[in-house]
Amino acid sequence: RSGSATGARLPVPAGVLAMFREQEQAEATLDDSAQHGGRLRTFPHERGSWATYVYLPYEAPEEFTELLELVVCRARAYATQLAPMDDFHVSLSQSVVLRYHWINPFVQSLKERLASFHRFFCLADQVKVYTNQNKTRTFIGLEVSTGHFQLLELVSEVDRVMEEFDLPTFYKDPSFHISLAWCVGDLTSRLEGQCLRELQDIVDKFEDSAHLLRIQWEQIRCKSGNKYFSFPLR
């Protein structure tokens, strides 16, 4: 009989095609350089690997936005490229890489270890300049001056989860802070000294700053790729 011995290829069922669509979309989001604002990755993106970190989210009130504008405006006299942060938080972990199939067990382990923690207050009122580990980015932040002990307790439990998955733990002797603004490169020498003193003066004299910067933490979050997980404090 003449003709091809190979039959027509059967179409792939729609259910199979959709199985990994969510994973692929998240990976595309992770690798979209347009969203990075010129920042350099601390680790290369690999298919199936999700950038993940644990943090305390801060929902900034309107008055905080006013303070942020004053701080950034003054700081730009020393570093014009500074940009305000889009969201605010206190980190409880480094950014780590999770394989896709680790996400659910990782989150479940976090949930179990953080279940007993109660809500607490922090005071974040000390202006400080930070850089990331490889000094490719500079940040202006508000360092936590009270509530440090409770934050260390949380980090201790998050570190245990990291160790379970053979991931890097948090920094030794961490400086807990809320980042306010950032820029590419190491601009520490420009922003410390006189600039830092002027920024601290703005924070100290801002109306109701003591009340504004006294923050009650009500939940912990974990971000993995484009997924968010919330762990309410008791």
Side-chain angles (χ1 to χ4, degrees):
R1 188 177 58 180
S2 62
S4 172
T6 304
R9 185 187 295 265
L10 293 174
V12 179
V16 175
L17 289 174
M19 283 179 62
F20 300 104
R21 188 171 297 151
E22 179 184 27
Q23 179 180 351
E24 291 171 353
Q25 288 173 345
E27 290 169 359
T29 299
L30 287 176
D31 208 30
D32 185 357
S33 61
Q35 297 185 14
H36 300 160
R39 290 170 287 182
L40 300 176
R41 291 186 179 277
T42 54
F43 43 78
H45 170 66
E46 295 181 7
R47 187 176 181 82
S49 298
W50 289 31
T52 303
Y53 65 100
V54 184
Y55 62 99
L56 290 160
Y58 175 47
E59 304 297 335
E62 184 177 347
E63 296 84 356
F64 186 84
T65 304
E66 296 174 12
L67 175 59
L68 175 66
E69 290 174 353
L70 290 173
V71 169
V72 173
C73 183
R74 181 67 61 87
R76 279 176 173 164
Y78 296 86
T80 57
Q81 59 269 60
L82 278 166
M85 301 296 293
D86 295 325
D87 61 84
F88 308 98
H89 64 270
V90 170
S91 296
L92 299 176
S93 78
Q94 298 191 59
S95 288
V96 299
V97 177
L98 269 184
R99 301 299 294 176
Y100 181 73
H101 58 278
W102 289 354
I103 295 174
N104 286 340
F106 180 85
V107 169
Q108 182 60 34
S109 187
L110 277 177
K111 182 179 179 180
E112 292 170 0
R113 290 200 171 274
L114 300 174
S116 63
F117 282 90
H118 291 77
R119 299 177 183 185
F120 65 99
F121 286 94
C122 278
L123 183 62
D125 60 351
Q126 300 299 305
V127 185
K128 194 168 180 179
V129 178
Y130 298 89
T131 60
N132 61 346
Q133 281 185 300
N134 45 11
K135 298 189 181 297
T136 58
R137 279 174 279 163
T138 303
F139 301 86
I140 294 173
L142 289 173
E143 185 180 33
V144 170
S145 58
T146 61
H148 192 84
F149 176 76
Q150 291 93 328
L151 291 171
L152 285 176
E153 287 189 315
L154 286 175
V155 166
S156 177
E157 293 303 317
V158 173
D159 277 351
R160 289 174 183 242
V161 177
M162 295 294 179
E163 289 169 349
E164 287 177 28
F165 291 83
D166 198 26
L167 295 169
T169 55
F170 204 42
Y171 310 107
K172 292 183 179 180
D173 302 319
S175 173
F176 297 106
H177 63 279
I178 299 172
S179 292
L180 302 179
W182 74 280
C183 63
V184 174
D186 183 1
L187 274 67
T188 306
S189 59
R190 293 192 205 176
L191 296 173
E192 289 186 337
Q194 181 63 29
C195 176
L196 198 58
R197 288 189 291 271
E198 292 177 12
L199 299 183
Q200 186 65 59
D201 191 52
I202 290 173
V203 171
D204 292 341
K205 293 180 178 179
F206 191 78
E207 186 177 2
D208 293 330
S209 63
H211 173 73
L212 177 63
L213 301 177
R214 186 174 183 265
I215 305 164
Q216 182 179 32
W217 304 113
E218 298 184 351
Q219 63 175 305
I220 301 165
R221 284 186 191 160
C222 173
K223 183 177 186 293
S224 188
N226 63 349
K227 287 178 172 288
Y228 291 84
F229 305 91
S230 180
F231 313 97
L233 297 170
R234 299 173 63 185

